[in-house]
Amino acid sequence: MLNLSIFIWRGECQVEPMHVVTTSSNLFAKQTGVMMQSLLENLSLYKNICIYVLYGRLSNENQWKLQRIADQFNHNIKFILMDDSLYEGCRKGRRLRLEAYYRLSIPDVISEKINKVLYLDSDIIVQEDISSLWDTSLGDFFAAAVQDPGAEKFQRYKVLSIPHSNGYFNSGVMLINLEQWRAGEISKKVLEFIKGNPRKVLLLDQDGLNVILQGKWLNLDPKWNYQTAHFGKLFTKPAIIHYTTAKKPWKHQHPLSAPYLKYSSKVIWSDHD
């Protein structure tokens, strides 16, 4: 029987930590762990991170394994149980699951004392120290993110009536200005749009975020969210690789599978997880 005391939050983080939020479930707990392994292994020894894992269904065993990774690098981790009823009426997809909406609740479940967080999806590999990304000045922008190269393919500009000049970002990597976000009630507005426009919404929270944050987000260097569609078209060294299509490196052949396999070999899940 697992000792549940290992899940206790180990006190307040030290001075000027980076606050990183992700989501997880029993279906992709291993991928969350691989992402964390890559994140912490590439972090400067002089930096401190507090990791928050938002979940609805995550076993004690999977929490323990994620805790082990944080402990290995001596960083704090907190598991936050989410209320799925908040997202009733929101569209769900075959591949994109309810957990995609959890990031919209970040301002509500993270302490009001915290004014900035970095959100990272689980299907990500970090290859550089994220300190310079964290240090990006947001000014009056509500968030910073990278353009999604698939927006045109999925007719996101046309369907959502977003001018091309405003861009369309991928929500898998977002540096969020919580102070601005809370003041502007962004999460409330995004959920209202999603629930009120089910025929327009295809990419769940991402569509709603792009509609509400038009002209209010900072465009980042694409190296901070190098998506599968960038491969062979954008020639830069990725700081963060994001496996954005259905062909994930843990299930299929992928041109960028090597970094995933490198960090996957270091976590304690089996190859079948």
Side-chain angles (χ1 to χ4, degrees), residues 140-144 166 184 186 189 212-218:
D140 292 330
F141 288 109
F142 288 71
N166 284 342
I186 299 303
K189 293 174 182 177
I212 302 303
L213 292 180
Q214 291 185 63
K216 300 175 182 177
W217 61 278
L218 177 66

Side-chain angles (χ1 to χ4, degrees), residues 74-90:
N74 197 31
H75 291 288
N76 278 300
I77 186 169
K78 183 175 184 179
F79 298 90
I80 301 177
L81 178 62
M82 304 300 290
D83 180 3
D84 285 354
S85 68
L86 296 173
Y87 319 106
E88 289 180 0
C90 291

Side-chain angles (χ1 to χ4, degrees), residues 34 125 127 241 243 249 254-265:
V34 175
I125 290 296
Q127 299 194 120
I241 298 173
Y243 302 103
H254 193 285
L256 295 171
S257 62
Y260 176 82
L261 296 175
K262 170 186 174 182
Y263 293 103
S264 176
S265 67

Side-chain angles (χ1 to χ4, degrees), residues 6-44:
I6 64 172
F7 304 132
I8 295 176
W9 181 237
R10 295 180 294 159
E12 292 297 321
C13 287
Q14 299 171 8
V15 178
E16 297 182 0
M18 292 181 278
H19 298 279
V20 176
V21 183
T22 190
T23 61
S24 194
S25 79
N26 291 321
L27 293 175
F28 54 92
K30 179 179 180 179
Q31 285 69 49
T32 306
V34 175
M35 182 276 288
M36 284 176 50
Q37 180 75 28
S38 69
L39 167 71
L40 298 177
E41 190 169 314
N42 287 289
L43 186 68
S44 166

Side-chain angles (χ1 to χ4, degrees), residues 91-252:
R91 178 175 176 172
K92 303 170 189 173
R94 287 186 303 170
R95 184 169 59 86
L96 299 172
R97 303 180 183 278
L98 189 68
E99 286 84 4
Y101 293 114
Y102 289 175
R103 74 196 87 183
L104 298 178
S105 296
I106 290 174
D108 300 316
V109 299
I110 300 297
S111 169
E112 291 186 0
K113 296 178 182 179
I114 298 171
N115 293 322
K116 181 170 70 172
V117 299
L118 176 62
Y119 172 81
L120 297 175
D121 268 350
S122 288
D123 55 347
I124 272 174
I125 290 296
V126 180
Q127 299 194 120
E128 290 184 14
D129 185 351
I130 63 164
S131 299
S132 60
L133 172 59
W134 175 261
D135 290 337
T136 299
S137 176
L138 290 171
D140 292 330
F141 288 109
F142 288 71
V146 172
Q147 295 264 7
D148 191 319
E152 196 70 66
K153 175 183 177 181
F154 293 107
Q155 298 185 308
R156 294 300 81 200
Y157 293 107
K158 179 180 179 180
V159 173
L160 299 172
S161 300
I162 297 175
H164 282 75
S165 59
N166 284 342
Y168 179 97
F169 64 86
N170 181 280
S171 62
V173 177
M174 290 191 296
L175 188 63
I176 301 174
N177 184 338
L178 288 180
E179 187 173 9
Q180 287 285 87
W181 197 287
R182 290 169 177 138
E185 297 185 316
I186 299 303
S187 297
K188 176 183 177 182
K189 293 174 182 177
V190 170
L191 284 171
E192 287 176 350
F193 175 83
I194 290 170
K195 293 178 181 181
N197 298 273
R199 294 186 177 182
K200 293 184 178 181
V201 172
L202 175 65
L203 302 179
L204 309 189
D205 69 296
Q206 184 169 291
D207 281 349
L209 285 167
N210 274 278
V211 169
I212 302 303
L213 292 180
Q214 291 185 63
K216 300 175 182 177
W217 61 278
L218 177 66
N219 191 13
L220 291 171
D221 186 319
K223 79 170 191 174
W224 291 116
N225 188 353
Y226 189 92
Q227 297 149 64
T228 298
H230 283 135
F231 183 76
K233 300 175 183 177
L234 180 64
F235 299 98
T236 186
K237 182 181 178 182
I240 294 177
I241 298 173
H242 190 183
Y243 302 103
T244 47
T245 67
K247 291 186 177 181
K248 308 293 187 183
W250 50 92
K251 290 184 178 180
H252 306 276

